[in-house]
Amino acid sequence: MWKAMNFASSPKGTSPAMAAFPRSLSSMAASVGGLAVLLVIASLLLVSYPIGSTVRGYFYGIDSSRQVDLLIFEGNQNSIDLHHGSDLDVVDKDSSLGLDLKGPISLGGINNNSVNVIDSQSEFNLQESTAGTRKEGQTSPKGGSVTLSVKENGADKGSEESSSDAASADSKSGAKSDISAVPSNASKTGSDDSGCDLYQGSWFYDSLGPLYTNNTCPVLTQMQNCQGNGRPDKEYENWRWKPSQCDLPRFDAKKFLELMRGKTIAFIGDSVARNQMESMLCLLWQVEAPKNRGNKKMQRYFFSSTSTTVVRIWSSWLVHQTPESIDFAPKGVVKLHLDAPDEQFMEFIPNFDVIVLSSGHWFAKQSVYVLNNEIVGGQLWWPDKSRPMKINNVEAFGISVETILTSIATHPNFTGLAILRTYSPDHYEGGAWNTGGSCTGKENPLAPGKLVENGFTETMHKKQITGFDRAIKKATNKSKLKLMDITESFGYRHDGHPGPYRSLDPNKLTKRGPDGKPPPQDCLHWCMPGPVDIWNELVLEIIRRDFEANQNSST
């Protein structure tokens, strides 16, 4: 159902072979003998000192100290909801950045002429229309095995052998459950490097628990500090992901820092990107405390042992935005230029070696869509009902993905690795975030076959894959685009959100009222520790595969 493509850069050209013409037979013999000696010595050296530890220090570039900020304008303040906006990084709306916006830049963007008028209201506000159809899923017993079976091409897929091996290894560590192979119905990019799809697998209970606690990570946002906010259960911290055909190692902070020696990884996007970046910092903090070299405009943490930098840049939509009036759209309402990337971070792209992108959830907020300087649609804003919209929020999201990825894949000075993490599923069951949706009381992953259907999530995911595929076809530079497809597998983790445990308030509501109304809660972001840490295990594995592929192609 879901498809993705992979794009790998071509190896750097090798220097031309050199020919030598011996003057005599004796000199030729001496040359051959010397070469043989050198080959023997080189072989011994390679055995003692593998080339991998030397080569990885020569990839990519350095970090930048320039920053980017999030702007909140008068026109979109009212549309920021508790679902997303309660833990946003907000700066003063009068920030000078709002006055210094450069004109939209286009680095190989989309074809604006391909926009067609959509069918009336067929997809408008799909999130609102599907939220009420979601059903409560059943959870597995505590410590029980979780099997998530999805048919592909008419048959169940999986690896019983890998499952039994993992179960055996798990039993040695005293884990509570076995695991069962879980196929996925999507083809994923980044898995063919080693012949194993990272996104086809299952959740299993790991008694070893998380690599950090809420008390050992000083940068953990309070809203994600579920244990610190009084959440009574902890089982959600122990469930880990196991690909069907291979192993996904626990996160190794020392290995990550060594692979990223002298390099910069940037998490760019919305508050879910912030969630993932903080998870990465918490994991790395267990081996080294970084130096904070950022400010409110850009978060930057420097690990001096390997000169590795972790950056976070806010970009709510990943495309150019402005509050200025355009045609019949007044000043204040956010205008999104879907065919132009967000220049607030694009100028820093050459300084990054690994980029992890996150977007999608802000397309449920009020905004105006602009293509080729023409207003073509809007979300929660359309003053003239007699004038048909050409683009709704779902179509706009797909276009934005194609725009930003194409801009990265055609940037003349970017040769790094760009990872698109797919749409992060929320779990507002029984309604939307503001219409009674809830994830209260979820303590284990969803049981086999009980994945809660969410039409909006599935549609957004499909648009994201389409944008990814189109961008790959337009790539011109030596960068690599990888798809980290977590949408389906994390659809089963309704237990991993803060729910009502969003603050330290001792008087906060944590249970449904007498009328059955659920308390205010967050079913979008992820508890820390929690499932979000698996994302960074996947990031590490993608980086390892990419760097090793580069080494192999250069030898």
Side-chain angles (χ1 to χ4, degrees):
M1 179 174 63
W2 298 332
K3 295 182 179 179
M5 296 178 63
N6 185 25
F7 175 74
S9 64
S10 59
K12 295 181 179 179
T14 56
S15 57
M18 299 180 64
F21 299 92
R23 297 179 180 178
S24 66
L25 184 61
S26 60
S27 62
M28 178 182 294
S31 299
V32 172
L35 179 60
V37 173
L38 288 176
L39 288 174
V40 172
I41 295 175
S43 299
L44 293 174
L45 288 174
L46 283 174
V47 171
S48 302
Y49 304 97
I51 193 171
S53 62
T54 303
V55 174
R56 64 171 64 103
Y58 293 92
F59 291 113
Y60 310 123
I62 58 175
D63 184 29
S64 169
S65 60
R66 301 189 67 183
Q67 285 82 28
V68 175
D69 218 334
L70 160 67
L71 304 179
I72 296 297
F73 302 107
E74 295 178 359
N76 69 356
Q77 284 177 340
N78 294 333
S79 66
I80 295 178
D81 51 46
L82 294 176
H83 178 183
H84 303 92
S86 53
D87 70 338
L88 299 182
D89 302 283
V90 181
V91 296
D92 191 336
K93 65 181 179 181
D94 296 324
S95 167
S96 60
L97 280 179
L99 303 177
D100 297 331
L101 285 175
K102 300 177 182 178
I105 60 176
S106 179
L107 300 173
I110 66 168
N111 181 359
N112 299 327
N113 296 326
S114 63
V115 179
N116 298 318
V117 178
I118 59 178
D119 295 333
S120 61
Q121 301 294 321
S122 59
E123 288 186 290
F124 289 156
N125 300 324
L126 184 56
Q127 187 178 36
E128 297 298 327
S129 63
T130 59
T133 65
R134 306 179 66 174
K135 300 179 181 179
E136 296 280 348
Q138 299 177 359
T139 61
S140 61
K142 186 177 295 185
S145 62
V146 173
T147 305
L148 319 179
S149 180
V150 181
K151 290 188 177 181
E152 182 174 10
N153 297 327
D156 287 337
K157 295 177 64 179
S159 171
E160 296 180 359
E161 181 179 356
S162 63
S163 300
S164 60
D165 291 343
S168 176
D170 202 33
S171 63
K172 294 178 181 178
S173 64
K176 290 187 176 183
S177 70
D178 298 334
I179 64 172
S180 300
V182 180
S184 168
N185 60 356
S187 61
K188 315 298 194 300
T189 302
S191 60
D192 56 352
D193 297 324
S194 66
C196 168
D197 190 335
L198 292 174
Y199 315 107
Q200 173 183 302
S202 61
W203 291 100
F204 72 99
Y205 187 90
D206 183 358
S207 62
L208 294 178
L211 294 173
Y212 65 95
T213 70
N214 62 303
N215 293 319
T216 62
C217 182
V219 295
L220 197 159
T221 295
Q222 189 62 46
M223 285 193 66
Q224 274 68 71
N225 187 355
C226 300
Q227 290 298 305
N229 293 334
R231 179 166 174 172
D233 62 297
K234 293 191 65 174
E235 301 297 317
Y236 65 90
E237 295 182 345
N238 290 58
W239 292 91
R240 293 188 58 241
W241 180 250
K242 171 68 173 67
S244 297
Q245 304 295 331
C246 62
D247 290 323
L248 178 63
R250 287 170 68 88
F251 189 88
D252 187 332
K254 292 181 179 180
K255 182 174 184 178
F256 177 87
L257 291 174
E258 182 58 35
L259 283 173
M260 291 295 295
R261 178 178 291 276
K263 302 177 183 62
T264 297
I265 181 171
F267 294 87
I268 302 175
D270 51 22
S271 58
V272 185
R274 187 265 310 149
N275 203 170
Q276 184 176 0
M277 183 276 292
E278 289 182 355
S279 165
M280 175 66 77
L281 287 177
C282 289
L283 291 165
L284 297 177
W285 212 292
Q286 307 313 302
V287 300
E288 179 181 351
K291 298 178 181 178
N292 188 344
R293 293 187 173 179
N295 54 35
K296 69 175 184 178
K297 294 182 178 180
M298 176 188 282
Q299 290 179 279
R300 297 178 67 244
Y301 289 88
F302 181 75
F303 293 83
S304 57
S305 65
T306 57
S307 297
T308 300
T309 303
V310 177
V311 168
R312 178 196 166 227
I313 299 177
W314 176 272
S315 181
S316 47
W317 284 282
L318 295 181
V319 292
H320 175 70
Q321 58 177 290
T322 176
E324 300 303 320
S325 60
I326 298 178
D327 196 5
F328 58 93
K331 183 177 181 179
V333 181
V334 175
K335 324 300 184 307
L336 301 181
H337 289 260
L338 300 175
D339 50 359
D342 185 351
E343 74 286 355
Q344 297 279 31
F345 70 80
M346 280 301 297
E347 61 178 305
F348 307 123
I349 289 296
N351 301 312
F352 300 145
D353 306 291
V354 179
I355 298 170
V356 182
L357 297 167
S358 171
S359 67
H361 293 282
W362 274 66
F363 281 86
K365 297 179 181 292
Q366 185 187 57
S367 53
V368 178
Y369 305 137
V370 181
L371 277 173
N372 198 25
N373 293 318
E374 176 191 356
I375 296 176
V376 293
Q379 169 67 3
L380 301 180
W381 181 91
W382 194 253
D384 188 356
K385 302 301 180 181
S386 65
R387 185 192 304 235
M389 287 198 290
K390 298 179 180 179
I391 294 295
N392 64 11
N393 61 334
V394 175
E395 295 291 339
F397 173 57
I399 295 171
S400 74
V401 172
E402 180 181 353
T403 293
I404 185 59
L405 290 180
T406 300
S407 298
I408 290 174
T410 59
H411 195 294
N413 298 316
F414 179 68
T415 59
L417 173 66
I419 301 172
L420 176 65
R421 179 185 45 68
T422 58
Y423 193 80
S424 177
D426 65 66
H427 290 90
Y428 288 94
E429 299 176 4
W433 68 271
N434 58 349
T435 59
S438 172
C439 55
T440 298
K442 308 302 181 182
E443 297 183 2
N444 289 289
L446 282 165
K450 298 298 182 180
L451 182 62
V452 178
E453 296 182 0
N454 187 327
F456 184 75
T457 293
E458 291 189 7
T459 303
M460 292 288 276
H461 180 269
K462 290 178 181 178
K463 292 297 181 183
Q464 200 172 26
I465 300 301
T466 299
F468 181 87
D469 291 347
R470 290 175 177 173
I472 283 181
K473 295 177 182 178
K474 299 178 181 180
T476 58
N477 61 21
K478 293 185 177 182
S479 67
K480 281 82 62 179
L481 298 182
K482 301 288 184 180
L483 187 75
M484 195 174 95
D485 198 339
I486 56 86
T487 304
E488 182 181 3
S489 57
F490 277 75
Y492 286 85
R493 293 309 309 272
H494 66 167
D495 59 319
H497 303 293
Y501 299 99
R502 305 183 304 165
S503 73
L504 285 168
D505 181 7
N507 299 316
K508 61 178 173 290
L509 300 176
T510 60
K511 298 180 179 180
R512 292 179 180 271
D515 57 353
K517 183 179 180 181
Q521 55 195 288
D522 179 359
C523 302
L524 169 66
H525 301 94
W526 302 91
C527 291
M528 293 173 55
V532 66
D533 300 318
I534 304 299
W535 291 356
N536 289 317
E537 290 185 352
L538 291 167
V539 166
L540 173 54
E541 180 64 11
I542 292 172
I543 292 173
R544 182 193 66 78
R545 291 182 178 188
D546 179 71
F547 285 10
E548 288 185 359
N550 285 336
Q551 292 173 17
N552 293 335
S553 65
S554 62
T555 57

